[in-house]
């Protein structure tokens, strides 16, 4: 029993038709070219699927209910293209502008983000700083009427097609958490993109290096208070981990579905391979685990809607769902046999695409660290005691 009401199911029906007609048919071409067409964002914008939470004065629907985004994640994974990162645009990056931006910033950026004309990205990760945000070395210096930005970022989603990036930079070299958030726009002098990085999976999703050499960032492109960026980043990480969890459990479900169909149709020794005890037991285990964690994800969605999703719970659901996703896609490849290794079968792409889930939004090692410290097993405190 899922948590959706009749209006959600109506929305799902329309979203499914959109992904089947406008996104899924282009997947193979996008994977070959290494990025989605910008038109995909504009088409999603026309349907009202981008920044649904945004106030109507900026073109949004003013819908805060995360269940609608959950439906988009599920339907895109099933019928669209996993490399179409519209949720990153809508729910990972844009909320920084919505929550921290001035009225001028929101009026300047949000309408085109809602329409899909402007594509967003966020630049946190660096060659020497991934899950540890405090290790960021990109720096921003206050020059009076502007900030001067220098440094580099890597593994940045929407890096090639993005127009506006929220860049995390160090504003105070003396403070470990002295970070600021800066809006860098396409065409700013000194800002350039590196190559489109070749990846194991999600090949339709462009992932890039970004370089900043004496980029002059106007004062009206600073988000929130300079030096308080670390607090803002940690505040938004709970939703990022919930998004990852919702995506991971939907991929696990899709992998299960295509595998169940495959083992029903494929025969060995004169009978469907699904009828062998090994196949039945493996699918039974997967069915039970997917159902259990789907309930947990749905619970966290409702907690998030109520403003009660805390960082530790978000870490738990992200950890468990992405670990399950990894096990399920691996088992499903095995049940496909040689076909599972062929790119023409969806399970092959699910397998390679799923591997990033245990790394992004904070690696699962970091998730275990967060959960462990919540049990008062913090070595920094225990060793001092």
């Amino acid at each position: 029993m899922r948590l959706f009401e009749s209006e959600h199911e109506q929305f799902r029906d329309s979203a499914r038709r959109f992904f089947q007609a406008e996104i899924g048919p282009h997947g193979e071409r996008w994977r070959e070219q290494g990025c989605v067409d910008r038109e995909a964002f504009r088409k999603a914008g026309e349907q009202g699927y981008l920044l649904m939470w945004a106030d109507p004065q900026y073109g949004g629907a003013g819908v805060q209910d995360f269940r609608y985004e959950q439906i988009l994640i599920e339907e895109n994974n099933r019928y669209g293209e996993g490399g179409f990162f519209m949720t990153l645009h809508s729910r990972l990056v844009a909320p920084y502008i919505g929550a921290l931006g001035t009225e001028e910033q929101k009026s300047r950026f949000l309408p085109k983000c809602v329409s899909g004309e402007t594509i967003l990205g966020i630049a946190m990760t660096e060659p020497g700083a991934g899950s540890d945000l405090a290790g960021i070395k990109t720096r921003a210096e206050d020059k009076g009427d502007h900030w001067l930005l220098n440094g580099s970022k890597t593994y940045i989603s929407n890096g090639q097609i993005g127009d506006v990036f929220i860049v995390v930079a160090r504003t105070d070299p003396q403070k470990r958490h002295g970070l600021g958030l800066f809006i860098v726009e396409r065409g700013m002098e000194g800002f350039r993109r590196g190559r489109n990085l070749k990846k194991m999976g999600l090949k339709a999703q462009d992932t890039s290096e970004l370089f900043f050499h004496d980029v002059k960032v106007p004062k009206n492109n600073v988000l929130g208070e300079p030096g308080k960026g670390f607090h803002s980043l940690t505040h938004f990480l709970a939703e990022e981990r919930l998004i990852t969890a919702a995506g991971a459990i939907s991929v696990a479900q899709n992998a299960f579905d295509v595998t169940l169909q495959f083992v029903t149709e494929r025969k060995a020794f004169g009978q469907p391979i699904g009828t062998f005890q090994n196949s039945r037991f493996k699918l039974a285990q997967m069915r039970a685990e997917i159902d259990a964690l789907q309930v947990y994800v749905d619970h966290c969605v409702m907690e998030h809607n109520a403003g009660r999703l805390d960082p530790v719970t978000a870490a738990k659901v992200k950890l468990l769902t992405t670990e399950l996703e990894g096990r399920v896609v691996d088992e499903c490849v095995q049940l496909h046999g040689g076909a599972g290794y062929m790119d023409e079968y969806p399970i092959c792409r699910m397998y390679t695409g799923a591997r990033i889930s245990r790394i992004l939004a904070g690696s699962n090692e970091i998730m275990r660290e967060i959960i462990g410290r919540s049990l008062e097993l913090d070595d920094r405190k225990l060793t001092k005691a």
Side-chain angles (χ1 to χ4, degrees):
M1 186 73 177
R2 297 297 300 280
L3 72 169
F4 301 107
E5 299 167 15
S6 59
E7 57 266 33
H8 297 106
E9 296 303 343
Q10 292 172 8
F11 179 80
R12 184 186 296 277
D13 289 342
S14 65
R16 179 172 298 170
R17 290 193 295 271
F18 169 76
F19 287 113
Q20 287 174 326
E22 302 291 351
I23 305 300
H26 303 290
E28 185 174 358
R29 178 172 61 83
W30 290 344
R31 291 190 292 273
E32 290 176 357
Q33 73 184 22
C35 64
V36 306
D37 295 337
R38 293 181 58 89
E39 184 66 19
F41 281 86
R42 286 193 287 270
K43 287 182 176 179
E46 289 171 4
Q47 295 297 316
Y49 294 156
L50 302 179
L51 281 69
M52 288 183 290
W53 52 266
D55 192 277
Q57 72 181 93
Y58 308 118
V63 175
Q64 302 297 324
D65 186 349
F66 186 83
R67 287 176 289 183
Y68 288 97
E69 195 70 35
Q70 185 181 10
I71 289 168
L72 291 176
I73 292 168
E74 292 175 352
E75 297 304 311
N76 183 45
N77 279 338
R78 182 174 289 274
Y79 298 106
E81 164 56 50
F84 177 37
F85 268 27
M86 60 181 286
T87 296
L88 177 137
H89 168 90
S90 292
R91 299 286 314 209
L92 268 81
V93 188
Y96 284 90
I97 300 174
L100 302 174
T102 63
E103 185 54 46
E104 185 276 332
Q105 289 170 334
K106 288 187 280 190
S107 298
R108 180 157 46 111
F109 292 111
L110 291 183
K112 288 189 176 181
C113 294
V114 170
S115 69
E117 296 173 74
T118 295
I119 299 173
L120 298 172
I122 187 164
M124 287 191 270
T125 303
E126 297 183 0
S131 296
D132 180 16
L133 295 176
I136 285 173
K137 290 185 170 55
T138 295
R139 64 189 185 280
E141 301 174 75
D142 190 346
K143 295 297 183 179
D145 63 341
H146 68 274
W147 288 81
L148 199 63
L149 188 66
N150 282 281
S152 64
K153 301 290 181 177
T154 193
Y155 311 143
I156 306 306
S157 299
N158 292 347
Q160 294 291 312
I161 64 173
D163 303 294
V164 171
F165 295 89
I166 296 175
V167 180
V168 184
R170 184 161 300 284
T171 55
D172 188 341
Q174 306 303 317
K175 294 182 179 178
R176 180 171 168 79
H177 294 159
L179 303 173
L181 306 178
F182 301 87
I183 300 174
V184 174
E185 302 173 61
R186 178 189 290 275
M188 281 187 171
E189 187 175 353
F191 167 45
R192 70 179 181 88
R193 305 159 205 264
R195 57 200 173 97
N196 191 0
L197 301 170
K198 295 182 178 180
K199 306 191 297 295
M200 177 190 296
L202 297 178
K203 295 183 183 295
Q205 196 281 309
D206 55 308
T207 303
S208 309
E209 302 165 309
L210 301 180
F211 301 97
F212 311 94
H213 178 69
D214 287 343
V215 177
K216 293 182 179 180
V217 180
K219 286 293 178 76
N220 62 357
N221 274 32
V222 178
L223 271 180
E225 291 185 53
K228 297 292 181 66
F230 186 85
H231 173 75
S232 299
L233 290 167
T234 55
H235 173 75
F236 286 101
L237 282 175
E239 179 167 312
E240 181 177 358
R241 286 160 186 165
L242 178 60
I243 288 168
T244 304
I249 199 66
S250 73
V251 169
Q253 178 63 60
N254 295 343
F256 178 90
D257 289 343
V258 299
T259 303
L260 182 60
Q261 180 178 351
F262 182 85
V263 301
T264 302
E265 298 171 351
R266 180 69 179 269
K267 290 185 177 180
F269 305 104
Q271 65 187 88
I273 61 176
T275 62
F276 293 113
Q277 186 185 68
N278 177 70
S279 301
R280 290 202 313 272
F281 279 16
K282 286 186 177 296
L283 286 163
Q285 182 73 29
M286 285 188 270
R287 181 69 276 154
E289 292 183 350
I290 293 169
D291 286 349
L293 280 186
Q294 184 68 70
V295 172
Y296 191 25
V297 170
D298 292 350
H299 166 75
C300 289
V301 166
M302 297 308 287
E303 287 294 285
H304 184 53
N305 276 351
R308 294 191 297 260
L309 183 66
D310 62 272
V312 176
T313 302
K316 292 175 185 175
V317 73
K318 191 270 182 181
L319 170 67
L320 292 176
T321 52
T322 57
E323 293 289 334
L324 176 64
E325 177 192 28
R327 293 195 303 274
V328 166
V329 294
D330 185 71
E331 290 281 17
C332 288
V333 167
Q334 191 71 20
L335 287 169
H336 273 75
Y341 203 68
M342 300 296 112
D343 187 67
E344 64 187 275
Y345 284 84
I347 191 61
C348 178
R349 298 192 297 274
M350 290 184 205
Y351 179 85
T352 55
R355 189 57 188 88
I356 191 60
S357 299
R358 284 171 275 168
I359 298 170
L360 55 71
S363 70
N364 281 6
E365 289 73 23
I366 297 297
M367 298 304 99
R368 293 183 177 95
E369 189 69 28
I370 292 169
I371 298 164
R373 288 177 180 177
S374 75
L375 304 175
E376 299 186 0
L377 298 175
D378 189 337
D379 59 332
R380 298 170 301 179
K381 295 178 181 178
L382 292 176
T383 52
K384 290 180 180 179

